[in-house]
Amino acid sequence: MKRSIIGGLLALCLLSLAGCGRDVQGADGEDTQEANRDLFAMDTYMTVTAYGARAQEAADRAAEEIERLDGLLSAGDGSSEVFRVNEDGGGRLSEEGAYLVERALEMYESTDGAFDIAIYPVMEAWGFTDGAFKVPSRDTLAELLPLTDAGAIRFDKKSGEVSFGMGGMKIDLGGIAKGYTSGRIMDIFRACGVKSGLVNLGGNVQVLGAKPDGSLWRVAVQDPDDARQAMGVVAVKNRTVITSGGYERYFEEGGVTYHHIIDPKTGYPADSGLSSVSVISADGTLADGLSTSFFIMGVKEASAYWRAHSREFDMILVTDSDQIYVTEGIADDFSSDYEVTVITEETGE
Ligand code: ADP
Ligand code: MG
């Protein structure tokens, strides 16, 4: 049986979220409006919540922004910029498209090729781009792997001109699009005077400020085996909590589960011993790219990466055997019924 489950609404549930469209009391005693928008975009369910005098405007503008970025960044959308450069083997990108390609190429370098936007032909071969799932033959993957090399992409930062080194090469910004989008929504919130707000893009959460009552937002990290259960809860403000897991999108064939995060070195779904990775950072694009990368890299390499960049982010790793690792920067803000190993600057795996 072939089956696809699009993870989303339940991927990370938000605890103690207030109800819909009502007055709430802010920490400073001021009355403030709450506004919510629910939508389906980027193949997932999304929720936007804002508090403030202009909450409704903020939530509406956020929803428009999500749709705009979906149209710009989706490789499968025939009118998107990414589709156009994929068809043409290159071209001039908009400022935003160029910014994302630049960030993606930086991550390709810093993750030693684990984050590779040239993965699109392999995603197509697996049917993840159109839902016609199939396990590609070894020959097919062997033909496509040389194309999966973002290092061959030529990119001029100034002009936004991109050109692919090889015919058939195609890029996929799906590994960072949601993180970038949630960061943009924080900008919209701030421009609308919102001091407290949240966006949940299919389990990828970003929050502005603290909750209206001044307490921290509590974001649950989903149990990879059971969407209704949490592995733990992390308390945050002004942060994004972005999770990558094999359970987000997958199919089954011959009793084997194949998911959508591909190891560019093999062309097969990553199998690093991790079942989910959550990255906590102020930078949505970084957190999104790194959560995808660490899912491929595994505990040891992810820990080494964190030690080299510990000021930029923290992370929660869940292994296939339900072991949990958290980096020391958020250890005090993470609670769980499971045993938790803290990754420190000096020791750890
Ligand atoms: P989700 O989109 O489910 O939140 P991720 O952020 O982990 O999950 O992104 C997975 C998406 O990233 C895939 O659907 C695909 O578009 C893209 N992708 C898959 N493998 C890689 C890779 N090795 N490098 C960069 N992007 C990837
Ligand atoms: Mg990602």
Side-chain angles (χ1 to χ4, degrees), residues 253-264:
E253 197 175 290
V256 182
T257 301
Y258 299 95
H259 62 70
H260 71 138
I261 301 175
I262 305 290
D263 184 340

Side-chain angles (χ1 to χ4, degrees), residues 114-117 119 123 172 174-175 178 204 243-244 248-249 260-262 264 288 292 296:
F115 193 78
D116 192 333
I117 52 169
I119 201 76
M123 299 301 292
D172 176 4
K178 283 188 222 131
N204 299 314
T243 300
S244 288
E248 302 254 7
R249 189 170 310 163
H260 71 138
I261 301 175
I262 305 290
D288 200 356
T292 306
I296 297 164

Side-chain angles (χ1 to χ4, degrees), residues 9-93:
L9 207 54
L10 293 173
L12 278 171
C13 50
L14 289 148
L15 305 179
S16 34
L17 194 62
C20 191
R22 59 192 186 90
D23 285 329
V24 286
Q25 193 84 354
D28 50 10
E30 273 178 33
D31 267 345
T32 174
Q33 290 289 315
E34 175 188 329
N36 294 285
R37 283 289 301 266
D38 295 321
L39 63 153
F40 188 86
M42 301 183 178
D43 283 339
T44 193
Y45 292 98
M46 307 192 159
T47 316
V48 175
T49 304
Y51 299 91
R54 291 161 64 199
Q56 193 61 53
E57 180 195 346
D60 291 344
R61 280 178 58 185
E64 275 169 33
E65 180 68 354
I66 290 169
E67 273 155 16
R68 183 185 72 83
L69 289 170
D70 195 6
L72 185 77
L73 304 174
S74 166
D77 179 337
S79 58
S80 81
E81 178 168 313
V82 173
F83 182 88
R84 172 174 56 79
V85 295
N86 282 345
E87 285 294 295
D88 298 348
R92 189 178 291 249
L93 293 166

